[in-house]
Amino acid sequence: MSVKDLVRMANQIAVNQAHLSDDDAVALVAQHLTMFWAPALRRDLQVAAESGDTGLNAVALRAVRQLQPA
Amino acid sequence: MTLLHEPARRVLSDMGTPAVPGESTVEVEIDGLAVTVPEGTSIMRAAAEAGIDVPKLCATDTLKSFGSCRVCLVEIEGRPGAPASCTTPVAPGMKVATSSPKVDRLRRGIIELYLSDHPADSCADGACELHAMAETVGLTDVRYGQQGHNHLNIEVDASNPYFSFDPKACIVCSRCVRACDEVQGTFALTVEGRGFESLISASGTSFMESECVSCGACVQACPTTALQEKSVIELGMPTRTVKTTCAYCGVGCSFDAEMRGDELVRMTPSKEGGANEGHSCVKGRFAWGYATHRERITVPMVRESITDEWREVSWDEAIAFTAQRFTTLQEQYGPDSIGGITSSRCTNEEVFVVQKMVRAAFGNNNVDTCARVCHSPTGYGLKQTFGTSAGTQDFKSVEDADVILLIGANPTDAHPVFASRMKKRLRQGAQLVVVDPRRIDLVRTPHIEAAHHLPLLPGTNVAMVNALAHVVVSEGLVDREFVASRCEDESFAAWESFIARPENSPEAMESATGVAASEIRAAARLYATAPNAAIYYGLGVTEHSQGSTMVMGMANLAMATGNIGRNGVGVNPLRGQNNVQGSCDMGSFPHEFSGYRHVSDDTVRVLFEDAWGREMRAEPGLRIPNMFDAAVAGTFRGLFVQGEDVAQSDPNITHVTAALTALDTLVVQDLFLNETAKFAHVFLPGTSFLEKDGTFTNAERRINRVRPVMAPKTGKDEWQVACDIATAMGYPMGYDEASQIMDEIAQVTPTFSGVSFAHLDEAGSLQWPCNDAAPEGTPIMHVDEFVRGKGHFVPTPYVPTDEKANRKFPLLLTTGRILSQYNVGAQTRRTANVEWHSEDLLEMHEADAAERGISEGDWVALNSRVGETHMRAHITDRVPQGVVYTTFHHPESGANVVTTENSDWATNCPEYKVTAVQMRPANAVDPHRVRADA
Amino acid sequence: MTVTVYIPRDSSARAVGADEVAVALTAEAARRGDEIRIVRNGSRGMLWLEPFVEVEVDGTRVGYGPVQAGDVAALLDAGLLTGADHGLKHGAVDDLPWLARQDRLTYARMGVIDPLDLADYETHGGLAGLRNAVAMTPQEVVDAVSASGLRGRGGAGFPAGRKWQTVLSAPGDTKYICCNADEGDSGTYADRMLMEGDPFTLLEGMTIAGLAVGATHGYIYIRSEYPDARDILNAAIGAARTFGWLGTDVLGSGRAFDINVRMGAGAYICGEETSMLDSLEGKRGMVRAKPPLPALEGLFGKPTVVNNVLTLGSVPFVLAEGADAHASRGLDRSLGTQVFQLAGNIKQGGVVELGFGVTLRELVEDFGGGTASGRPIRAIQVGGPLGSYLTPDQLDLPMEYETFAAAGAMVGHGGIVVHDDTVDMAKLARFAMEFCSEESCGKCTPCRVGSTRGVEVIDRITAGDDRAGNLTLLLDLCDVMTDGSLCAMGGLTPMPVLSALTKFPEDFGLTAQEVTS
């Protein structure tokens, strides 16, 4: 799975929560990833997020960091 | 399998004139029998209610009474003359004689006139009502002879591929003209000439060159052999019928498959069909020949590598081959390395067994459905707001709509039978608002003109719905009472303050949508102030980067204006394929079991674990695009594809084919060797709808029976194949017949608990939820409360798509369907429907064409950032400047070569409707060569 | 001093040289230095005298006719402008017995005024009815029309008041007044003459109807053969709008009414009211089944008054002079006057407006002067091409709806066509069927197919081919057409056929006994 694509999709989810406060947006993105993404995808994203600048936006990055270990 | 055991059903004879709604009744006496009927009912229908069949030719209960044939004359006590029973309404205390020496004599005289200008030999197999009527009235001798002035030398019009018009047999009863007007709403037919020279005419030209859309309504209405299916002329009149369901679009029309022996002679729309009420379109009515097309594959085939030749094998070998390869992959790459895709064209039962095979035999949740690429945002958006992933209304509801807001849908092409119902309502005076970049036919068509057409730029739906909702909120048009009693206070308040922001105003959104704010305001007022306003939408809503947002935006709008929970209102997805709704219902999504229950729900998982005897995963599996990405990445190695041509229908085909090529094992189950099968290792022949025993669920949640009219040409029911693979992989799975699968569905799915084949056969059809709370189903949802309790508002910020027109790709491409074709054309291209649409054309505005030196019919190279394809230009004012449009029915044109990987943020439904492109004139090319390069 | 000369602009006058007379008179008078003013009036209705030129001398109009352009110089020489004697002079027009014996209500201004001069119209009593109606409630207007006994002049004789009441009582905001000016019956031209000679009377009648039933829009459906009438009506409508009569505020009443003219395309059947409505809606003119009545579901499905030109043209008199003034004319249940039209083989063709009850003899012999050929009358067709043939022994029948019906005939639109003893009645019977086959809308079978078979069967009878069998077949066919047809077109076509057959069997090669047995 290309991390670039995962980042793009995660960012897109985050951008679509612009109406929410950052905290709420982070919670919603994390919930969305948990509900709809296969664990392998979340895992790849988590690994990438920990490894440095992935291009994740602020909300998406916080959400990924909040995810339970997949 | 039980072949051809059609259930006992009430046979509706033709009542002559349509039923009249109404409370007040009138009692009359007909031939001495007292009968009570609604006020305004015709004498003819009242007689039919009393079991008396008044002779008739021009009357039929699907059309308004006309009074032309004069065969139905009766005598009424105290009234002079012999009034026509079809056009004369009953009056209290009326005493009618449907037979008397006088009317019997008149009837014979009239039939005698008819027969003086009618071929004597046209009544083969009882196909001609006129000859039957002659027998009924006892006419034996035509004293006028046939030597008088007549029409017996007029040529047959055989221009339509499916039916012919023989004026010799025509009795000018106008049933065809009226059917075209009243039922189909196309107004293609008329009567030309007057007096004896009156002739039915396709408006002065041949049927094929006329406006005729070949829906078959005229053929259905014709009482003689004047309008006749060519298949009947060729094969003879059918001798038995089997009631079944069309396998094309999501309207789900009921048909009588009319057979002669084991041969299908014709498909005629069923008046009892809840979705179609006796109407049809060119696809369902006529384009079924693909089912027996010579290119159909009926024997399983395998090959080690996709560079090898196919090898025909037995079913046993094919099953064993498949199971062995899947098992090996899982051993080698882990349990998650394989998955399956279910098809929206297959029955609920076939879909259910495939997703069960994945979850129970494969042991993972890597199952997705082709609805991913069409209506997945509908599922997401309506679930979030209303609590269930389905449209709110039945089709009949449109008859009560006062304003129809049509967004991103083109019903006259894509859902023609529903379009006819909608047009009927519009002709009665309902107002229409069309939101679509393209000027679809409904914007202006005979006797219909949209009150507003909002030709927004592709990709700006959310901007538009926010602007509409802003008007509702800022102009005091919110239905406060509905919101207070039916919706969440908190989420409404949040939404209200969000939508009231100036950035959501029509004026602020004008630059994004390209639509004048005044038009948006007027449309919003029209919608919000209508007694009943209904939203209908199609893939023009869902196939966007904000598809799910838009679905929620429409749901918000409907709730805020109180347009939910009764007839005439609602939020209604028009589903593209016959069983999109059903395939989603059946648990085809990687995160949900049947009935839209999340895999993380422990209670639900236990239910399935108990039923299936295997542990269920609590985490979602891979979606289709994830599968392709993972295949390219090498972590996903095996895929079972049921009845879907992903190599043609999915976006960014270059990427898709790379993924398919990377797979170790691709199993394709289909009727034909499609584009995807080029990359397959196993080809498992599927069954056509004529061979299936099961159910389809249409866009109005209506579960319709699909009944086999012939044995499977493959020698195996399609649901059996998944069972066999699962069993061979070590998970025993089997049913004696398809009804048992539905029984299992009912057992594990609360919304289906009252559904069984027996119940369906008895009721005709059922709309889920069908359970103890609603034993006979649910035509209208959310009547007293939403499925989720209170309606939930979700703020919908407009986020422009990344796919923007720029200097390199200055145009926006959007795509759609045409009437005569269907999806990637696998079926329709194998019928005479190609006579209407033999290639995909690129529609463009004349200014865009002129700027590039492109003329009508020129070959054009169309390229986006992911690919290039070629098709011919069609210059039209249907599309605005800056927008180009095409269909994707033909593999040669390969529209999806240029579509990108962009997708809906919530569901990954591809953004088919927006692709930034450039075009240039191209020399004539061999499309097949281009295709091979792609 | 300027002398006023009247030269009719009616099509019937123009067809025989009225325009040329006007041109010649203008030129000749100018050459001589005579100061004249030419008024193109409507026709007085004495068609055998057209072009009928009137000169106003000391307030009296003196008539000359028929005048041809070539007569102009001689007439001027003789002293036309002073009302001098000439071989073509008929004397003071008002004193001509042909006119003096009439009772012109609907045609009160016919030939008198300049058709497009609204002031002239008012001077001669125009707009009085409308002004009264404006001051009344809609129900009062309808009541007045009901009390007047006015019946539809188009042929069916349905009480106008009852029809208006139905439309007034029908729910709905949108209602229409449709004037049937598709005057297609053979030997009829009274509608055309009124539209050409006094169009304001029709417009006034329609406006009153609109106020009475709550309609704001009226249509005049005029046959394609009447281009002059169309042009005059359009000019009259323009004048009425400028005057503040038609439009959003009818004569200051605050109520709206406007009128548009629509032209047919040459189909006789569009004179049938429901076909006319179809045609007005832009469709092929096809007869609609009734019910629903047009009064409830008419034009575009809305409640609609459909009345003939003469019916609507009679309304201003009713409102101006009162219902009683109208009801005092006529006979029994046929009240008021009818504008009878004399045509065919007749010495003095033209229009005669008299109360119902005048006998056919008075009209044909006293006014018409017998046949033009001078030969004995053999047959008279009254009421258009679907009317029965009457024989000379029926000349004393009073022109009255019920009496005629009892005699198996109909008054219809008041057209009277005379034939002398050279006529072949079998040919006329055949023509009746042929006319029907040409003009049938094609909807119902008895009319569409039956009329064609009727021609063939009559041909076989006259050719002597199985006369007995074909006679039976013809009688059966007429039975089917009479009782089985959707509208009067097919239903009445047997009337001329059967009347010809029973009264003149010898023309078919049959005996009276064969026909009646």
Side-chain angles (χ1 to χ4, degrees):
Chain A
M1 195 84 211
S2 143
V3 171
K4 196 177 121 217
D5 285 334
L6 296 177
V7 167
R8 180 175 53 78
M9 293 191 290
N11 283 346
Q12 197 189 355
I13 297 166
V15 167
N16 272 278
Q17 315 313 324
H19 58 290
L20 297 175
S21 69
D22 274 6
D23 285 353
D24 287 350
V26 167
L28 198 142
V29 173
Q31 185 204 15
H32 189 94
L33 296 176
T34 309
M35 291 273 286
F36 298 105
W37 281 33
L41 308 187
R42 296 202 300 271
R43 196 164 45 236
D44 289 352
L45 201 53
Q46 282 171 305
V47 169
E50 295 316 312
S51 66
D53 180 19
T54 56
L56 279 170
N57 60 33
V59 168
L61 183 62
R62 278 179 59 196
V64 171
R65 286 191 170 140
Q66 276 186 14
L67 290 174
Q68 299 294 314
Chain B
M1 187 198 70
T2 49
L3 194 62
L4 315 173
H5 73 170
E6 199 187 337
R9 64 185 168 94
R10 192 162 59 102
V11 177
L12 286 175
S13 68
D14 191 332
M15 307 292 279
T17 64
V20 177
E23 301 281 303
S24 60
T25 56
V26 170
E27 189 178 321
V28 292
E29 191 182 300
I30 299 176
D31 294 346
L33 295 170
V35 57
T36 302
V37 291
E39 193 179 349
T41 300
S42 70
I43 292 175
M44 176 181 281
R45 191 176 175 99
E49 297 280 359
I52 300 163
D53 203 1
V54 181
K56 59 182 179 291
L57 281 170
C58 74
T60 182
D61 58 13
T62 52
L63 302 172
K64 283 187 278 190
S65 65
F66 193 60
S68 78
C69 76
R70 317 308 287 172
V71 175
C72 72
L73 304 177
V74 293
E75 288 201 87
I76 303 172
E77 197 177 292
R79 288 201 197 180
S85 62
C86 63
T87 55
T88 308
V90 292
M94 188 183 253
K95 288 186 178 164
V96 178
T98 69
S99 178
S100 72
K102 179 179 176 175
V103 297
D104 294 351
R105 193 177 69 242
L106 289 172
R107 283 180 192 147
R108 277 195 301 275
I110 291 162
I111 299 293
E112 187 177 12
L113 285 171
Y114 272 126
L115 290 177
S116 70
D117 184 23
H118 192 78
D121 57 355
S122 72
C123 58
D125 299 335
C128 176
E129 286 179 32
L130 175 56
H131 284 104
M133 208 49 68
E135 213 161 288
T136 303
V137 304
L139 184 86
T140 47
D141 181 28
V142 179
R143 292 170 292 170
Y144 300 106
Q146 286 208 322
Q147 297 72 47
H149 193 23
N150 61 51
H151 299 93
L152 302 178
N153 292 314
I154 303 181
E155 296 252 318
V156 172
D157 177 353
S159 59
N160 185 289
Y162 297 118
F163 63 86
S164 61
F165 173 57
D166 182 358
K168 290 192 286 294
C170 175
I171 59 170
V172 205
C173 64
S174 289
R175 270 163 69 161
C176 54
V177 179
R178 291 181 284 143
C180 191
D181 295 357
E182 296 173 29
V183 178
Q184 166 57 27
T186 291
F187 298 84
L189 304 182
T190 188
V191 180
E192 284 204 340
R194 59 187 192 220
F196 194 74
E197 306 308 324
S198 300
L199 277 180
I200 301 301
S201 163
S203 303
T205 179
S206 73
F207 271 76
M208 200 56 186
E209 282 166 27
S210 74
E211 298 290 307
C212 168
V213 293
S214 199
C215 68
C218 57
V219 182
Q220 190 71 0
C222 182
T224 71
T225 54
L227 281 159
Q228 185 76 286
E229 298 89 350
K230 288 181 174 174
S231 58
V232 172
I233 296 170
E234 193 184 320
L235 303 169
M237 282 292 278
T239 52
R240 65 185 174 93
T241 67
V242 181
K243 189 170 293 297
T244 190
T245 303
C246 177
Y248 279 112
C249 79
V251 175
C253 296
S254 295
F255 276 91
D256 286 331
E258 300 193 20
M259 312 293 294
R260 191 174 175 100
D262 280 335
E263 194 154 25
L264 179 59
V265 176
R266 66 178 170 189
M267 295 279 285
T268 52
S270 168
K271 279 200 287 194
E272 294 141 74
N276 57 319
E277 294 187 350
H279 192 34
S280 59
C281 81
V282 62
K283 294 191 281 282
R285 179 73 155 85
F286 296 117
W288 36 265
Y290 70 88
T292 52
H293 194 273
R294 58 185 161 71
E295 286 170 14
R296 176 114 180 249
I297 309 287
T298 55
V299 180
M301 301 189 297
V302 300
R303 57 185 174 184
E304 286 299 323
S305 151
I306 62 170
T307 53
D308 293 347
E309 289 294 307
W310 284 110
R311 186 163 60 84
E312 289 191 358
V313 294
S314 68
W315 272 111
D316 286 348
E317 188 178 344
I319 300 288
F321 184 93
T322 303
Q324 186 268 323
R325 287 186 68 138
F326 277 159
T327 306
T328 306
L329 287 175
Q330 285 190 304
E331 283 165 1
Q332 210 171 336
Y333 299 100
D336 294 345
S337 61
I338 64 171
I341 299 176
T342 69
S343 172
S344 295
R345 296 183 200 175
C346 291
T347 63
N348 286 317
E349 294 71 19
E350 290 162 346
V351 167
F352 187 82
V353 292
V354 169
Q355 64 91 31
K356 181 179 175 183
M357 170 182 80
V358 173
R359 295 187 203 277
F362 293 5
N364 63 41
N365 283 329
N366 289 338
V367 61
D368 206 355
T369 174
C370 57
R372 171 68 55 204
V373 302
C374 67
H375 263 293
S376 51
T378 292
Y380 179 88
L382 296 184
K383 173 121 187 171
Q384 293 289 317
T385 48
F386 298 159
T388 195
S389 301
T392 59
Q393 312 296 114
D394 59 359
F395 288 143
K396 197 175 183 57
S397 162
V398 78
E399 293 168 14
D400 291 307
D402 301 298
V403 168
I404 293 168
L405 177 54
L406 183 66
I407 309 178
N410 185 7
T412 51
D413 278 293
H415 304 89
V417 172
F418 176 68
S420 289
R421 288 178 90 152
M422 185 184 272
K423 287 199 288 185
K424 196 170 187 174
R425 181 61 188 156
L426 292 169
R427 287 196 304 275
Q428 288 169 352
Q431 303 259 43
L432 175 67
V433 176
V434 174
V435 180
D436 200 300
R438 189 165 167 269
R439 200 193 68 232
I440 59 170
D441 280 350
L442 277 174
V443 172
R444 191 175 154 83
T445 188
H447 300 278
I448 288 169
E449 185 157 22
H452 303 282
H453 175 212
L454 311 179
L456 77 182
L457 279 171
T460 63
N461 281 334
V462 172
M464 176 61 74
V465 81
N466 285 355
L468 291 167
H470 179 89
V471 175
V472 171
V473 165
S474 64
E475 295 191 8
L477 302 174
V478 170
D479 184 340
R480 296 280 164 189
E481 199 183 314
F482 181 89
V483 170
S485 62
R486 298 287 310 275
C487 305
E488 297 170 342
D489 295 336
E490 199 177 328
S491 70
F492 173 73
W495 175 78
E496 188 182 28
S497 69
F498 160 79
I499 210 75
R501 289 182 200 162
E503 74 244 32
N504 286 322
S505 72
E507 289 72 20
M509 289 300 190
E510 208 176 79
S511 61
T513 62
V515 179
S518 57
E519 273 290 291
I520 298 175
R521 284 192 179 272
R525 290 173 197 137
L526 187 66
Y527 173 83
T529 58
N532 288 327
I535 296 173
Y536 291 88
Y537 71 93
L539 304 185
V541 158
T542 54
E543 291 175 350
H544 286 278
S545 66
Q546 282 200 293
S548 293
T549 311
M550 180 60 186
V551 172
M552 294 188 290
M554 295 185 304
N556 293 336
L557 185 62
M559 288 191 290
T561 52
N563 280 310
I564 289 288
R566 61 180 186 277
N567 270 319
V569 299
V571 179
N572 304 282
L574 296 172
R575 307 280 187 168
Q577 306 202 33
N578 52 327
N579 203 32
V580 173
Q581 182 69 55
S583 70
C584 297
D585 300 341
M586 289 301 103
S588 292
F589 286 128
H591 64 284
E592 281 171 342
F593 291 113
S594 62
Y596 305 102
R597 291 160 299 161
H598 202 271
V599 292
S600 62
D601 184 325
D602 294 344
T603 321
V604 177
R605 233 175 29 258
V606 167
L607 175 75
F608 278 90
E609 285 170 351
D610 286 351
W612 291 351
R614 283 286 170 102
E615 194 181 327
M616 291 291 117
R617 296 279 197 89
E619 293 273 13
L622 295 172
R623 296 169 172 178
I624 291 174
N626 304 149
M627 294 179 192
F628 293 152
D629 290 344
V632 171
T635 55
F636 189 74
R637 316 292 298 203
L639 179 63
F640 178 93
V641 182
Q642 177 190 34
E644 193 200 354
D645 195 2
V646 291
Q648 201 191 162
S649 64
D650 282 34
N652 193 357
I653 282 173
T654 314
H655 179 65
V656 173
T657 52
L660 297 177
T661 311
L663 290 169
D664 289 316
T665 299
L666 175 61
V667 180
V668 167
Q669 187 171 28
D670 210 300
L671 299 178
F672 302 102
L673 270 180
N674 58 21
E675 296 295 312
T676 309
K678 289 177 180 165
F679 306 92
H681 305 85
V682 181
F683 185 89
L684 302 173
T687 53
S688 80
F689 77 112
L690 296 173
E691 300 145 45
K692 291 184 191 297
D693 189 13
T695 57
F696 291 151
T697 307
N698 76 355
E700 43 168 5
R701 295 169 280 102
R702 187 185 300 278
I703 307 160
N704 278 312
R705 282 282 279 120
V706 185
R707 298 189 179 86
V709 304
M710 55 185 71
K713 292 193 177 301
T714 58
K716 195 185 267 293
D717 281 322
E718 200 166 315
W719 54 264
Q720 187 70 52
V721 177
C723 292
D724 289 352
I725 294 171
T727 304
M729 289 177 73
Y731 176 73
M733 209 165 117
Y735 307 88
D736 294 332
E737 49 184 42
S739 65
Q740 292 177 351
I741 305 174
M742 180 52 84
D743 294 342
E744 183 173 317
I745 295 166
Q747 182 204 328
V748 297
T749 316
T751 45
F752 275 68
S753 65
V755 181
S756 68
F757 281 19
H759 192 185
L760 285 166
D761 290 345
E762 179 208 323
S765 64
L766 293 166
Q767 286 172 272
W768 68 257
C770 176
N771 46 30
D772 287 346
E776 295 308 312
T778 311
I780 308 284
M781 294 199 80
H782 319 300
V783 173
D784 296 317
E785 63 171 2
F786 285 96
V787 167
R788 69 188 302 284
K790 295 267 186 182
H792 177 65
F793 282 84
V794 180
T796 52
Y798 168 55
V799 179
T801 171
D802 293 337
E803 190 70 12
K804 292 184 178 69
N806 53 34
R807 237 177 45 174
K808 195 168 173 205
F809 300 108
L811 304 168
L812 291 178
L813 168 73
T814 188
T815 58
R817 182 188 289 177
I818 202 163
L819 172 67
S820 58
Q821 298 290 337
Y822 179 73
N823 202 265
V824 296
Q827 293 132 294
T828 46
R829 279 185 288 107
R830 291 181 171 94
T831 69
N833 278 25
V834 291
E835 291 192 27
W836 284 278
H837 182 85
S838 56
E839 62 180 321
D840 294 317
L841 298 173
L842 186 66
E843 286 188 5
M844 61 189 73
H845 189 272
E846 61 175 346
D848 291 327
E851 196 179 308
R852 294 164 179 79
I854 296 167
S855 305
E856 176 75 17
D858 282 358
W859 281 98
V860 173
L862 180 74
N863 56 308
S864 71
R865 60 188 164 81
V866 304
E868 173 169 314
T869 188
H870 295 73
M871 52 187 85
R872 290 202 294 172
H874 174 50
I875 296 167
T876 173
D877 59 357
R878 277 189 189 277
V879 289
Q881 203 171 341
V883 175
V884 293
Y885 167 90
T886 190
T887 50
F888 57 98
H889 303 307
H890 291 269
E892 297 81 7
S893 47
N896 286 323
V897 172
V898 297
T899 52
T900 70
E901 72 289 353
N902 277 1
S903 64
D904 173 46
W905 66 268
T907 67
N908 289 134
C909 179
E911 191 182 32
Y912 288 111
K913 299 295 182 183
V914 195
T915 307
V917 293
Q918 176 59 296
M919 61 183 182
R920 62 173 198 279
N923 295 327
V925 287
D926 174 1
H928 296 280
R929 187 186 55 75
V930 173
R931 176 76 200 131
D933 296 345
Chain C
M1 202 187 85
T2 303
V3 179
T4 304
V5 181
Y6 294 84
I7 305 173
R9 63 181 300 168
D10 189 272
S11 308
S12 62
R14 294 180 61 201
V16 290
D19 289 349
E20 291 78 358
V21 170
V23 169
L25 185 61
T26 304
E28 192 63 24
R31 198 178 64 78
R32 296 171 187 230
D34 293 334
E35 287 184 26
I36 61 165
R37 178 176 78 100
I38 294 179
V39 174
R40 300 301 299 270
N41 60 335
S43 170
R44 296 279 191 169
M46 301 177 289
L47 299 185
W48 76 97
L49 295 180
E50 293 291 358
F52 185 69
V53 177
E54 299 174 40
V55 180
E56 194 171 320
V57 182
D58 301 329
T60 300
R61 284 161 70 161
V62 180
Y64 298 80
V67 177
Q68 291 298 302
D71 300 326
V72 166
L75 278 164
L76 285 170
D77 288 346
L80 172 78
L81 301 182
T82 59
D85 280 349
H86 182 274
L88 296 175
K89 180 178 170 181
H90 298 280
V93 177
D94 288 343
D95 298 336
L96 295 176
W98 214 84
L99 285 174
R101 287 180 56 194
Q102 297 192 31
D103 186 12
R104 289 195 162 181
L105 311 183
T106 307
Y107 263 38
R109 287 170 289 270
M110 180 59 66
V112 177
I113 64 167
D114 176 345
L116 290 173
D117 186 338
L118 197 40
D120 209 8
Y121 178 70
E122 272 201 278
T123 306
H124 287 86
L127 284 179
L130 177 57
R131 290 191 200 284
N132 286 340
V134 164
M136 296 159 73
T137 66
Q139 187 61 57
E140 285 168 349
V141 178
V142 172
D143 288 345
V145 172
S146 297
S148 75
L150 178 64
R151 292 170 67 172
R153 297 287 190 254
F158 188 83
R162 208 191 304 167
K163 190 181 280 186
W164 289 23
Q165 184 67 55
T166 305
V167 178
L168 172 60
S169 305
D173 296 333
T174 306
K175 298 176 183 180
Y176 295 103
I177 307 297
C178 289
C179 171
N180 186 344
D182 193 73
E183 185 178 44
D185 282 355
S186 46
T188 63
Y189 43 88
D191 293 348
R192 178 186 57 70
M193 285 182 65
L194 186 74
M195 291 186 286
E196 293 183 7
D198 188 14
F200 290 124
T201 294
L202 174 58
L203 303 187
E204 187 179 344
M206 290 180 71
T207 311
I208 293 168
L211 297 181
V213 303
T216 56
H217 213 102
Y219 289 95
I220 301 171
Y221 183 86
I222 194 164
R223 67 186 303 211
S224 62
E225 292 86 347
Y226 286 178
D228 286 1
R230 175 198 56 197
D231 295 345
I232 293 170
L233 279 170
N234 277 326
I237 288 167
R241 285 179 185 151
T242 307
F243 186 79
W245 156 6
L246 292 178
T248 53
D249 183 14
V250 175
L251 298 181
S253 64
R255 290 142 81 187
F257 191 75
D258 206 351
I259 297 174
N260 286 89
V261 177
R262 292 284 181 268
M263 202 138 199
Y268 174 76
I269 197 61
C270 289
E272 193 282 334
E273 62 174 350
T274 60
S275 289
M276 183 194 79
L277 293 173
D278 266 16
S279 182
L280 268 175
E281 290 178 7
K283 300 173 186 160
R284 164 190 172 85
M286 295 270 269
V287 176
R288 302 178 186 174
K290 289 188 277 192
L293 294 173
L296 295 173
E297 286 180 42
L299 187 65
F300 302 112
K302 305 296 181 188
T304 303
V305 169
V306 182
N307 277 149
N308 171 256
V309 173
L310 293 182
T311 316
L312 290 163
S314 300
V315 167
F317 174 84
V318 171
L319 270 292
E321 305 294 328
D324 291 346
H326 186 266
S328 68
R329 274 111 168 159
L331 179 67
D332 292 340
R333 291 196 285 131
S334 303
L335 300 180
T337 59
Q338 172 66 302
V339 182
F340 299 104
Q341 302 126 77
L342 301 175
N345 192 341
I346 190 127
K347 194 171 169 193
Q348 296 178 164
V351 291
V352 178
E353 181 175 357
L354 277 172
F356 285 100
V358 60
T359 65
L360 194 52
R361 185 183 305 282
E362 287 173 83
L363 292 170
V364 172
E365 294 185 349
D366 298 357
F367 282 92
T371 63
S373 61
R375 300 184 66 88
I377 292 171
R378 187 163 186 238
I380 304 168
Q381 189 176 32
V382 181
L386 309 179
S388 285
Y389 286 101
L390 299 171
T391 46
D393 61 323
Q394 293 176 294
L395 277 170
D396 291 315
L397 279 176
M399 298 291 288
E400 190 268 330
Y401 291 117
E402 280 70 27
T403 311
F404 259 60
M410 61 177 188
V411 174
H413 188 47
I416 296 166
V417 180
V418 178
H419 299 273
D420 73 9
D421 62 352
T422 61
V423 69
D424 179 345
M425 293 308 292
K427 269 191 185 166
L428 286 186
R430 182 189 195 278
F431 173 75
M433 285 291 190
E434 194 184 2
F435 181 78
C436 182
S437 72
E438 293 274 333
E439 296 293 347
S440 161
C441 78
K443 184 168 174 177
C444 77
T445 318
C447 181
R448 186 184 76 247
V449 186
S451 54
T452 294
R453 296 293 167 250
V455 171
E456 293 163 4
V457 175
I458 291 172
D459 281 347
R460 274 182 249 157
I461 292 171
T462 52
D465 176 4
D466 183 17
R467 278 210 169 101
N470 279 304
L471 175 63
T472 306
L473 187 52
L474 181 61
L475 295 174
D476 285 354
L477 173 62
C478 285
D479 192 26
V480 168
M481 288 180 73
T482 302
D483 284 331
S485 294
L486 175 60
C487 82
M489 174 96 212
L492 295 180
T493 290
M495 283 185 81
V497 174
L498 292 174
S499 60
L501 186 66
T502 52
K503 291 171 182 169
F504 309 96
E506 64 278 15
D507 287 16
F508 295 80
L510 295 161
T511 65
Q513 203 182 4
E514 284 173 305
V515 171
T516 49
S517 63

